[in-house]
Amino acid sequence: MRKPAFHKSVLNSLHGIIRMLRSERNFQLEVLALLINLFLIVYLRLSPEHASIIFLVCFAVLSAEMLNTAIEKLCDFVHPEFDKNIGLIKDISAGAVLLLAVAAVIIGLLIYPQYIFV
C-alpha cells in the first residue's frame, strides 16, 4: 500500500483534531484551558522559557486526551459489549490523562504566581 502524500496526511490529522473538537467535551474544556493560558501568557508577559513550558504541558494534555479517545474508540470497536478488562484498559488510559492534567496544574501553580504576586 502506497503512503499518502504529506499534505494528505496533514489534512487527515487536522480532520482528527476537528472531530475531537466537535465531539469530545473534555477536549473542548482542555482547548478552553489552552486559550486561557494563551491569554495569561500575553497579559502577564511570561518569559519565553515559562511560556514554552506552559504551551508544552497544554499540548501534552491535548495529545494525551486524543490518545485516550483513540484507545476508547478502538476498545469499543473490538469489544462493543461491556467487559471488565476493556473497562480497566479505558480507566488506565483516562488515568494517564488525569495524571498529566494534574502535572499541568502544578506547573501552572509554580509559574504563574511569579507574575501575579510581583
Side-chain angles (χ1 to χ4, degrees):
M1 186 165 127
R2 208 175 109 200
K3 290 185 179 183
F6 177 74
H7 74 279
K8 289 290 275 178
S9 295
V10 171
L11 288 175
N12 291 339
S13 300
L14 291 173
H15 177 72
I17 294 169
I18 291 167
R19 290 279 306 263
M20 287 290 294
L21 272 170
R22 288 183 177 164
S23 65
E24 297 298 323
R25 182 192 43 138
N26 287 346
F27 191 76
Q28 294 164 353
L29 292 172
E30 292 155 357
V31 168
L32 177 61
L34 170 65
L35 295 174
I36 291 168
N37 277 289
L38 177 60
F39 169 78
L40 290 172
I41 287 168
V42 172
Y43 182 75
L44 297 173
R45 296 187 180 125
L46 267 64
S47 71
E49 295 83 8
H50 286 153
S52 297
I53 293 168
I54 296 293
F55 276 126
L56 181 63
V57 296
C58 285
F59 282 103
V61 170
L62 289 169
S63 298
E65 187 65 49
M66 291 181 79
L67 289 170
N68 176 53
T69 300
I71 289 168
E72 289 181 352
K73 291 195 178 301
L74 180 61
C75 286
D76 290 343
F77 178 77
V78 170
H79 205 289
E81 57 277 345
F82 176 78
D83 180 271
K84 67 178 182 174
N85 291 321
I86 294 292
L88 177 60
I89 292 167
K90 290 179 172 186
D91 290 347
I92 291 169
S93 179
V97 178
L98 180 61
L99 284 176
L100 196 50
V102 168
V105 169
I106 292 169
I107 288 169
L109 291 172
L110 292 171
I111 291 176
Y112 283 123
Q114 301 172 49
Y115 296 89
I116 295 172
F117 304 113
V118 182

